[in-house]
Amino acid sequence: MCGIVGYVGSGDTAGVLLSGLARLEYRGYDSAGIAIINDTGESCLRKSSGKLAQLRKLLESSPAIAGSTGIGHTRWATHGGPTDENAHPHYSEDGSVVLIHNGIIENFAQLRDELADVKLQSETDTEVVAVLLGRELAIVGDLETAFRNVVKRLKGTFTLLAAAVSEPGKIVSARHHSPLVIGLGEGESFLGSDVAAFVEHTRRAVAVADDRIVVITADGVTVTDFDGNLAEVSEYEIAWDPAAADKGGWPSFMAKEISEQPAAVADTIRGRVNDGVVDIPELAALGDEYLQRVNRIVILACGTAAYAGMIGRYAIEEWARVPVEVELSHEFRYRNPIFDANTLVISVSQSGETMDTLMAVNFAREQGLKTISVCNTQSATIPRESDAAIYTYAGPEVAVASTKAFLSQIVALQLLGLHLARVRGALTTEAHRETVAELQTIPDKVAEVVAVHKQVKELAHWMANTNSVLFLGRHVGFPTALEGALKLKEIAYIHAEGFAAGELKHGPIALIDHGQPVFVLVPSPRTNSVMHSKVVSNIQEIRARGARIIAIVETGDTAVLPFADDVIRVPLTDVLFEPLLQVVPMQWFALELSTVKGLDVDQPRNLAKSVTVE
Ligand code: M6R
């Protein structure tokens, strides 16, 4: 969950590291640090607890040296609290090597026992590796061999970057179940947790497979397995525009990303509709015959991605008539799940690096199941390890709270549902075309609902002292309500819960007291009149007990007006597409409540964007 960056070249090393860390700060922001080695073998290390701004401040009073070789780290604490001492990089005891780490070294305690004579400076598992590396280097005399010997002894998950004062101009790195990508420049090379670390310097990237050791110099890179055998690599061009990872004048990345949702949806649909019918080229690898045989689908994901999965489930079942289950990735593989050869596993992950989801996908593959990855990050680990990948083209999502990735994940799953429906002959061509035509109107409708910002902002400011908010929905409105609640917990630190509206009377209604704010997602009376009237009844039940109702309703629906304190209008659409519109006001609401409370919208406490530990 930490962000790592490495650079070898003749540029401004400290500048490259800091700008890389700024783009990776979403991965963790408890502390940050850099180390630089120059060609005469001098080194310097600067690190500080707190966000990157603290490190920048430190560098103003105590600038780093110039040098061709540098590593930088932004931390999400696991071993040891977020202190200056525990911040990375770490020196070996003799100062001969400097090292950074993302992940967890599980045999840390045994390794630490070997170093009983060493007084460590920190409580981290990382420093133990730095010390071991320094000792090994003293024995074998070259960094690469020493690094390889140490890496082979480690258990757990790790991406490690190390440099030695005796070998300036070189960084050695290793990955085991933790992300690492290479950037290739002209006379300079980069390493990063993801391409955001160096996209402003080069668009040429190399994906690194698991269990690889990478050595970079200014002139190039070498990739081997842990035993030193050369490994094949594939270079690709980074599709993201570097400017897309900047705030571009918005007060927060989250605000920018909410407003980018119409484009995220349109870009995810683009190229996947042919003459009014969905055809996802990436699924050709699986073959129509296999897709016809699939008798069950298991969607694996965490957090917001899991809610997207729950919403996608309704569409896939409705259109393709295949039973779908949605399971949290971290629960899946520990309960001895039952499946047969025709069970298809679909993972959903913005980052493509979420460890819980990666492990669940690997487990499914070990059982011989086919896997499809719905992912927003090109060449991330999960899509690379899946049988097929459907990329969501939301562009880089920097704010920890997921917004545009959520919408594009729902759309990708809906496209998948329509693709399966076509291949399996489960939907008439006319119904298929009508559904696709409606889906193609969604970007404009999302744009309309993005414009409710002002109304929601007033509401949030008025509710600034609220300490609990409930969200109710039925059918696809239920997972949408869960997502609304998650956004509020995540960035406004307010107790929030989402409920299936029908469940209320089975217990949660006891929470309703005078003035309790409740967002209610009201389904369309046109397309779902039965559910609509049930939700209107639910509104009356809680209203009678003093709830303050904020109703999100379709334009033209007047049935709720007598019972709602606030009404937020969204455009008309089909029931299965309603979440794509109804979630947007809740995203704005969370953002505005976070803002009015003076909180950090993009980097909420205790969280990291990409959770690469189990
Ligand atoms: O990168 P992923 O989509 O796999 O991440 C999954 C969750 O950690 C993520 O959606 C998380 O719940 C978000 N911060 C929610 O806004």
Side-chain angles (χ1 to χ4, degrees):
M1 320 242 296
C2 306
I4 53 171
V5 55
Y7 175 72
V8 182
S10 55
D12 163 20
T13 302
V16 171
L17 297 178
L18 287 173
S19 67
L21 290 181
R23 288 177 189 274
L24 293 179
E25 208 183 4
Y26 72 85
R27 300 181 65 87
Y29 33 81
D30 290 340
S31 60
I34 59 170
I36 295 179
I37 295 175
N38 71 17
D39 291 345
T40 58
E42 232 187 304
S43 73
C44 85
L45 187 153
R46 302 282 182 271
K47 56 186 187 177
S48 169
S49 55
K51 295 189 176 168
L52 190 57
Q54 293 302 116
L55 175 66
R56 288 188 193 277
K57 225 183 250 173
L58 173 68
L59 285 163
E60 275 168 26
S61 56
S62 179
I65 59 170
S68 64
T69 312
I71 55 178
H73 189 270
T74 176
R75 180 168 186 248
W76 187 83
T78 51
H79 272 251
T83 61
D84 287 355
E85 294 73 30
N86 291 336
H88 301 207
H90 291 282
Y91 271 126
S92 55
E93 60 186 327
D94 58 358
S96 62
V97 297
V98 69
L99 181 136
I100 55 178
H101 168 219
N102 173 32
I104 294 177
I105 306 296
E106 284 170 5
N107 57 340
F108 153 81
Q110 291 101 292
L111 298 171
R112 175 70 183 101
D113 286 347
E114 282 177 32
L115 303 175
D117 57 318
V118 182
K119 182 169 175 352
L120 296 175
Q121 310 298 312
S122 75
E123 306 156 284
T124 64
D125 46 353
T126 309
E127 190 184 0
V128 169
V129 183
V131 172
L132 288 173
L133 181 59
R135 289 190 169 191
E136 190 67 14
L137 178 61
I139 297 166
V140 301
D142 89 277
L143 177 63
E144 200 178 322
T145 311
F147 187 67
R148 199 177 296 286
N149 293 348
V150 171
V151 163
K152 282 177 164 180
R153 301 188 57 204
L154 305 179
K155 294 199 167 45
T157 57
F158 50 85
T159 302
L160 294 163
L161 263 64
V165 290
S166 56
E167 297 183 46
K170 179 189 284 182
I171 296 174
V172 290
S173 59
R175 69 160 294 195
H176 176 65
H177 298 330
S178 179
L180 178 67
V181 274
I182 303 168
L184 302 172
E186 292 300 319
E188 54 186 6
S189 305
F190 306 81
L191 290 165
S193 298
D194 71 42
V195 297
F198 49 73
V199 67
E200 67 184 289
H201 305 288
T202 181
R203 305 293 283 270
R204 290 173 59 204
V206 174
V208 180
D210 210 24
D211 293 337
R212 295 287 183 263
I213 289 192
V214 179
V215 180
I216 64 164
T217 63
D219 302 324
V221 302
T222 321
V223 183
T224 57
D225 63 19
F226 283 0
D227 292 322
N229 303 305
L230 274 182
E232 268 186 37
V233 292
S234 56
E235 187 182 325
Y236 63 96
E237 191 179 322
I238 302 165
W240 285 351
D241 174 358
D246 291 329
K247 271 192 211 161
W250 289 87
S252 63
F253 278 109
M254 186 178 173
K256 173 175 176 255
E257 288 160 7
I258 292 174
S259 73
E260 286 172 345
Q261 294 184 114
V265 170
D267 291 347
T268 300
I269 299 171
R270 185 166 303 121
R272 289 164 173 164
V273 176
N274 202 347
D275 192 21
V277 173
V278 172
D279 185 355
I280 303 177
E282 297 91 323
L283 294 182
L286 291 173
D288 285 359
E289 207 185 293
Y290 167 74
L291 295 177
Q292 283 156 5
R293 265 203 329 268
V294 167
N295 57 13
R296 179 172 160 226
I297 291 175
V298 178
I299 297 180
L300 300 174
C302 302
T304 286
Y307 300 147
M310 287 169 75
I311 293 166
R313 170 194 185 179
Y314 288 87
I316 298 171
E317 289 192 337
E318 176 73 25
W319 298 329
R321 306 305 299 152
V322 191
V324 180
E325 290 150 49
V326 183
E327 184 142 2
L328 295 170
S329 311
H330 38 87
E331 292 294 318
F332 173 67
R333 73 187 171 123
Y334 296 110
R335 63 165 180 85
N336 201 6
I338 301 162
F339 27 65
D340 67 23
N342 297 322
T343 303
L344 168 65
V345 165
I346 301 171
S347 67
V348 186
S349 173
Q350 187 285 133
S351 62
E353 301 292 351
T354 297
M355 183 58 70
D356 290 319
T357 303
L358 173 61
M359 290 296 154
V361 168
N362 286 346
F363 173 77
R365 298 199 73 200
E366 283 157 22
Q367 314 303 311
L369 304 187
K370 296 257 187 247
T371 57
I372 297 176
S373 155
V374 171
C375 183
N376 193 43
T377 312
Q378 205 181 349
S379 290
T381 308
I382 297 172
R384 281 195 298 109
E385 298 199 357
S386 300
D387 295 293
I390 303 176
Y391 283 106
T392 52
Y393 292 106
E397 189 179 69
V398 178
V400 164
S402 188
T403 53
K404 61 177 180 173
F406 176 64
L407 261 68
S408 62
Q409 286 162 348
I410 297 169
V411 167
L413 290 168
Q414 291 174 335
L415 288 166
L416 176 61
L418 287 165
H419 182 102
L420 288 173
R422 178 181 57 74
V423 168
R424 299 164 70 94
L427 206 58
T428 64
T429 309
E430 196 191 355
H432 189 122
R433 283 181 187 282
E434 270 174 22
T435 308
V436 171
E438 180 56 27
L439 178 61
Q440 287 175 317
T441 69
I442 293 297
D444 287 343
K445 291 179 179 171
V446 174
E448 273 183 58
V449 75
V450 163
V452 302
H453 184 192
K454 193 165 169 289
Q455 181 193 355
V456 175
K457 182 173 178 173
E458 280 164 16
L459 181 68
H461 283 239
W462 192 81
M463 288 171 62
N465 296 321
T466 301
N467 53 23
S468 165
V469 182
L470 305 182
F471 294 82
L472 297 189
R474 274 178 185 259
H475 191 261
V476 284
F478 169 43
T480 317
L482 294 174
E483 172 62 3
L486 177 61
K487 288 286 90 78
L488 205 57
K489 288 185 255 209
E490 223 179 354
I491 61 167
Y493 315 155
I494 287 177
H495 167 253
E497 281 194 70
F499 293 109
E503 187 66 11
L504 213 61
K505 56 189 177 298
H506 298 286
I509 200 164
L511 290 170
I512 305 291
D513 200 356
H514 183 71
Q516 168 68 52
V518 184
F519 275 76
V520 185
L521 308 181
V522 184
S524 161
R526 298 169 305 111
T527 57
N528 216 329
S529 63
V530 176
M531 268 197 312
H532 176 265
S533 56
K534 298 227 178 297
V535 170
V536 174
S537 304
N538 296 140
I539 290 178
Q540 286 167 288
E541 284 156 18
I542 54 173
R543 165 86 174 186
R545 289 162 176 82
R548 178 194 162 91
I549 310 290
I550 303 128
I552 302 184
V553 302
E554 170 179 287
T555 301
D557 178 0
T558 52
V560 293
L561 293 186
F563 319 110
D565 297 277
D566 295 279
V567 172
I568 299 169
R569 299 274 177 199
V570 298
L572 278 57
T573 189
D574 289 354
V575 60
L576 293 171
F577 299 134
E578 277 173 358
L580 297 162
L581 308 181
Q582 290 184 332
V583 76
V584 180
M586 298 189 290
Q587 296 169 337
W588 280 131
F589 182 71
L591 178 145
E592 289 301 338
L593 219 49
S594 172
T595 308
V596 78
K597 288 179 76 179
L599 302 174
D600 188 331
V601 170
D602 290 332
Q603 297 180 336
R605 69 184 177 201
N606 304 338
L607 288 169
K609 178 79 181 158
S610 177
V611 184
T612 56
V613 291
E614 270 190 281

